[in-house]
Amino acid sequence: MFLVNSRALIERTINGSIEIVVQTRNKPDGPQRIELPGGRIEPFESLFKALIREVKEETGLDVTEIEGEATRIDTVGIDPNFEVECLRPFAVYQTIKGPFDSVGAYFRCKASGELLKSGDETKNPRWVNVDELRRLMNDDPLQFSDVDRAGIMYYLKYVNQYRP
C-alpha cells in the first residue's frame, strides 16, 4: 500500500507567542498519539483541497490561508485529459521504514472557527504553544504519531526562520 498525505501546521500568534493545533488520534485499532491534522488525499484530489477537507473534518476549523498558495501553478485548460499542479509546501516527508509506505506534504496555514471536541477519528484538538510542543517532544517523542514525529521536529527547528 502506498499513501499520499496532506498535513497541516495550523498557526496563530497570541501575545507574541506561536501556537499550533495538535490532536489525539482516536482509531479503535490504534494507539492514542498526538498528531497534526491531515490525512490521505483522495484520487486526483489536490493537496490544498485535501488539506482544507481534512482540517475541517478533524478540527472543525476553516483554513483561511496556506503558506505557498501563491506559488501554485496548474495545467488546467491545456489538456482536458491530463492536469497537474505544482506548488511549494513547508516540508515534505517520506517513510523510509515501517508498516506502510507514504509520502506527504506539510503546509503552514491559518484557520478560523471553533475547535471541535472530537473529529473524524480524532479527539481533543487543541492549541499548543510551540515551547510546550518542544517540551513534549523532548520529554517523550513516542507520544507523537509515527508519521508526524519528523515533521514536528522539522517545524520546531525552522519555525522562527520561516515566518510568513
Side-chain angles (χ1 to χ4, degrees):
M1 179 182 342
F2 184 78
L3 307 172
V4 180
N5 289 285
S6 192
R7 310 203 58 80
L9 291 155
I10 306 167
E11 291 181 316
R12 73 178 181 185
T13 302
I14 301 289
N15 298 323
S17 182
I18 301 169
E19 296 180 338
I20 69 166
V21 173
V22 297
Q23 59 197 14
T24 303
R25 175 55 54 186
N26 193 31
K27 284 188 176 178
D29 60 340
Q32 305 274 313
R33 295 220 174 115
I34 300 168
E35 68 171 16
L36 297 168
R40 281 184 246 175
I41 67 169
E42 302 294 332
F44 300 104
E45 182 180 33
S46 81
L47 288 165
F48 285 151
K49 287 187 176 163
L51 180 79
I52 292 165
R53 177 182 54 76
E54 287 286 345
V55 167
K56 185 68 170 178
E57 290 173 359
E58 294 180 358
T59 69
L61 297 176
D62 295 306
V63 173
T64 58
E65 181 183 323
I66 304 171
E67 183 180 277
E69 194 169 17
T71 69
R72 183 180 178 279
I73 303 281
D74 66 49
T75 61
V76 173
I78 296 172
D79 178 351
N81 297 310
F82 197 89
E83 297 173 350
V84 176
E85 72 176 356
C86 188
L87 47 89
R88 182 182 49 84
F90 173 71
V92 175
Y93 79 86
Q94 175 187 1
T95 56
I96 51 178
K97 185 177 184 179
F100 57 87
D101 194 9
S102 69
V103 296
Y106 288 98
F107 295 96
R108 290 176 70 190
C109 55
K110 300 204 180 309
S112 64
E114 296 296 320
L115 289 170
L116 300 171
K117 290 186 186 204
S118 64
D120 181 26
E121 298 184 330
T122 62
K123 66 179 182 180
N124 193 23
R126 60 207 177 271
W127 291 99
V128 175
N129 180 285
V130 171
D131 294 331
E132 174 69 6
L133 182 67
R134 184 174 281 109
R135 186 192 63 73
L136 290 168
M137 180 61 76
N138 289 336
D139 286 352
D140 181 12
L142 294 178
Q143 68 184 309
F144 291 89
S145 75
D146 294 335
V147 76
D148 282 332
R149 213 170 287 133
I152 291 170
M153 291 166 62
Y154 184 90
Y155 175 78
L156 290 171
K157 182 174 182 177
Y158 294 103
V159 68
N160 292 325
Q161 294 177 25
Y162 292 101
R163 297 294 302 168

